[in-house]
Amino acid sequence: MFRFFRLITVAAVALTFIAVTNAAAQARGFELFRTMLGSQLARTTGTTRVTWLPGGMGYLERARDSASGGQKFFKVDPATGSRAPLFDPGTEA
């Protein structure tokens, strides 16, 4: 009979420890989730359509030219974000 009570006591202590550990893990997970909400997880601005240029030149970006009302084309290096005209300004029509 003593063995039975000892087994029940050990099981109760183990279950209590598991429940406390689980609750602590949930609290830690909730804190991590709140921390992630404070920062921007994904970029939500910019272009949604990317046209990659051949030869690893980067990608194509378009912008409206306010002077002519037409489009200007730029090549963008994805590693640095630097933007340069895709065409020579002298050759543009």
Side-chain angles (χ1 to χ4, degrees):
M1 191 70 160
F2 179 70
R3 279 179 145 177
F4 178 73
F5 286 121
R6 192 166 80 182
L7 178 64
I8 295 295
T9 304
V10 169
V13 169
L15 288 175
T16 303
F17 178 73
I18 290 171
V20 168
T21 304
N22 193 15
Q26 285 180 355
R28 176 73 178 138
F30 181 70
E31 287 301 316
L32 289 173
F33 179 72
R34 288 186 56 181
T35 301
M36 287 190 311
L37 281 180
S39 65
Q40 190 176 9
L41 294 178
R43 185 175 167 192
T44 57
T45 59
T47 184
T48 57
R49 292 181 287 165
V50 175
T51 303
W52 291 101
L53 299 171
M57 289 175 51
Y59 64 88
L60 176 71
E61 193 173 272
R62 291 182 292 178
R64 182 159 304 280
D65 185 11
S66 59
S68 68
Q71 294 280 330
K72 286 192 148 286
F73 296 94
F74 299 94
K75 62 180 175 183
V76 180
D77 181 6
T80 63
S82 64
R83 191 169 115 162
L86 183 62
F87 303 110
D88 235 0
T91 60
E92 290 181 356

